[in-house]
Amino acid sequence: MNHKIARFHVILIMILIHRLIYAQSDYQQIIPETQLSIDMVYVKGGPFMMGSPETEKGRYGDEGPQHPVEIDDFWIGKYEISWDIYKLFLDRHIDNLIEELNSSEVEIRVDAISGATPPYTDMSFGMGINGYPAIGMTQHAANTFCQWLSAITGKFYRLPTEAEWEYAARAGNQSRYSFGDDERELDQFGWYQKNSDGKYQPIGQKNPNPWGLYDMHGNVSEWTLDQYISNIYQLRDSLVLNPYEIPTKRYPRSVRGGSWKDFSEKLRSAARGRSSSTWKLRDPQIPKSIWWHTDADFVGFRILRPKNTPSPEQQLIYWQSAEK
């Protein structure tokens, strides 16, 4: 018990140090015409070793070789996007209440963004709505949410790349998890097969990682922007700046973090996941929905805002690549 308390105190000290340096840059994104907001945490970019060493316990072959990557500064969601917020995007009731924004970051109008079609079934599968992570959306739907959020706030939001996600998950550590190598401590930081009681849990209930991000290990897996390419690390032979594998086909796409259904090794910082057409097996529609994965009750997402806003043309690449 003393060891656990000591570890928790170390995490708290690291969070406080990070806050003292960057707290002035953290902010809350208010959702217009609502009382809801999204907490955004500032992450200072830098270099790190992406992937896992061959000696890491639980390692899979697609995590190597380790290679140097450098990431630019960004803000990332403190929590996974909840149903409370995602339902605003699904309902679109607030769109007509929002005045046209004079924004220096985005040029998209909210009425130019397609709305998601309703699912044929309860996509929470009875596991909970208020305060729980939204699940079952396709990468296209998650991207379109980011486009919609950008239009109603005037700030540019997107999904994180695989590299950005791993950089944020590691929080400056090269260990198996953000808190170290001992999976016996995982109960304090994440929901997974051993402790989830067979369902996802409310966001933010476990300890955060050293940069103050919650549920980076488990609860729900999280969409990234990238096409999943199993051997992509083998093709990177030098320092890579802000890597992003632009999708060229619908499957597989990359997900990260592991979920409430997974064993502990899938929650490691370097562990990679992939989407599959089997995630739509129970979808009765022909053609199957571009908005919902009816068999993916374990995948959600969090959002990212880069410090350096990309051009309008690049923004569309981030938002619309999943339509292919």
Side-chain angles (χ1 to χ4, degrees):
M1 181 61 69
N2 288 337
H3 174 70
K4 290 182 178 180
I5 293 174
R7 170 65 69 176
F8 181 64
H9 286 165
V10 169
I11 295 292
L12 284 179
I13 290 170
M14 293 180 73
I15 292 173
L16 288 173
I17 292 173
H18 189 264
R19 286 290 177 271
L20 287 172
I21 299 173
Y22 302 121
Q24 73 278 5
S25 297
D26 295 353
Y27 69 94
Q28 279 192 323
Q29 177 59 68
I30 305 298
I31 309 297
E33 303 298 330
T34 77
Q35 295 182 341
L36 298 175
S37 62
I38 302 173
D39 291 325
M40 301 297 296
V41 174
Y42 182 69
V43 173
K44 179 67 177 176
F48 79 109
M49 293 299 291
M50 188 171 182
S52 62
E54 293 182 2
T55 55
E56 182 166 303
K57 182 181 177 182
R59 179 185 193 262
Y60 293 87
D62 63 354
E63 298 168 23
Q66 274 192 301
H67 56 287
V69 165
E70 187 161 351
I71 299 296
D72 288 341
D73 300 4
F74 58 85
W75 291 269
I76 192 168
K78 180 183 288 189
Y79 307 105
E80 295 160 336
I81 293 295
S82 68
W83 277 117
D84 313 65
I85 291 173
Y86 195 65
K87 281 175 64 65
L88 297 173
F89 163 66
L90 298 179
D91 297 338
R92 302 292 290 271
H93 294 326
I94 66 173
D95 288 14
N96 294 331
L97 303 176
I98 297 171
E99 298 180 1
E100 185 172 352
L101 298 173
N102 181 17
S103 170
S104 61
E105 289 193 17
V106 297
E107 298 177 358
I108 190 75
R109 290 174 55 91
V110 70
D111 57 6
I113 301 169
S114 299
T117 56
Y120 85 99
T121 188
D122 170 22
M123 289 302 295
S124 74
F125 301 97
M127 293 188 289
I129 295 289
N130 295 332
Y132 289 82
I135 57 169
M137 73 293 294
T138 61
Q139 189 201 49
H140 169 66
N143 276 332
T144 307
F145 170 89
C146 293
Q147 187 178 29
W148 170 81
L149 183 66
S150 300
I152 66 170
T153 63
K155 297 184 178 71
F156 172 67
Y157 291 103
R158 60 169 171 81
L159 296 176
T161 64
E162 263 204 276
E164 289 166 337
W165 191 97
E166 184 172 327
Y167 182 75
R170 289 189 175 282
N173 295 309
Q174 286 297 142
S175 48
R176 297 177 70 210
Y177 306 96
S178 63
F179 53 84
D181 292 316
D182 190 351
E183 65 186 50
R184 290 175 297 182
E185 297 182 30
L186 187 55
D187 275 359
Q188 303 172 59
F189 294 88
W191 298 106
Y192 63 116
Q193 186 269 344
K194 180 181 176 182
N195 66 0
S196 67
D197 195 28
K199 58 184 179 180
Y200 63 39
Q201 300 294 325
I203 60 175
Q205 299 300 299
K206 295 292 187 177
N207 293 338
N209 77 3
W211 287 352
L213 305 176
Y214 291 80
D215 297 314
M216 296 298 282
H217 304 298
N219 208 19
V220 295
S221 298
E222 299 177 12
W223 283 113
T224 73
L225 279 171
D226 297 60
Q227 185 84 54
Y228 171 83
I229 302 173
S230 61
N231 67 340
I232 190 61
Y233 295 179
Q234 299 174 26
L235 306 178
R236 299 173 181 171
D237 56 3
S238 60
L239 176 67
V240 185
L241 303 178
N242 302 306
Y244 167 38
E245 304 305 326
I246 300 175
T248 58
K249 55 185 179 180
R250 186 158 293 177
Y251 298 106
R253 303 292 174 86
S254 173
V255 296
R256 286 301 200 106
S259 79
W260 59 272
K261 283 187 169 182
D262 288 319
F263 292 103
S264 59
E265 61 267 20
K266 287 288 190 178
L267 276 64
R268 293 173 301 109
S269 298
R272 305 175 70 201
R274 69 189 84 175
S275 66
S276 166
S277 59
T278 62
W279 290 8
K280 289 182 182 286
L281 280 179
R282 287 181 289 178
D283 187 347
Q285 303 175 87
I286 300 176
K288 293 184 182 296
S289 173
I290 64 172
W291 300 100
W292 298 102
H293 279 310
T294 50
D295 294 74
D297 57 359
F298 50 84
V299 64
F301 68 103
R302 75 180 69 219
I303 61 170
L304 180 144
R305 179 187 173 205
K307 184 176 181 181
N308 298 319
T309 304
S311 67
E313 294 76 20
Q314 184 63 41
Q315 291 177 20
L316 289 177
I317 292 174
Y318 287 130
W319 288 331
Q320 298 179 359
S321 63
E323 295 177 358
K324 299 177 181 178

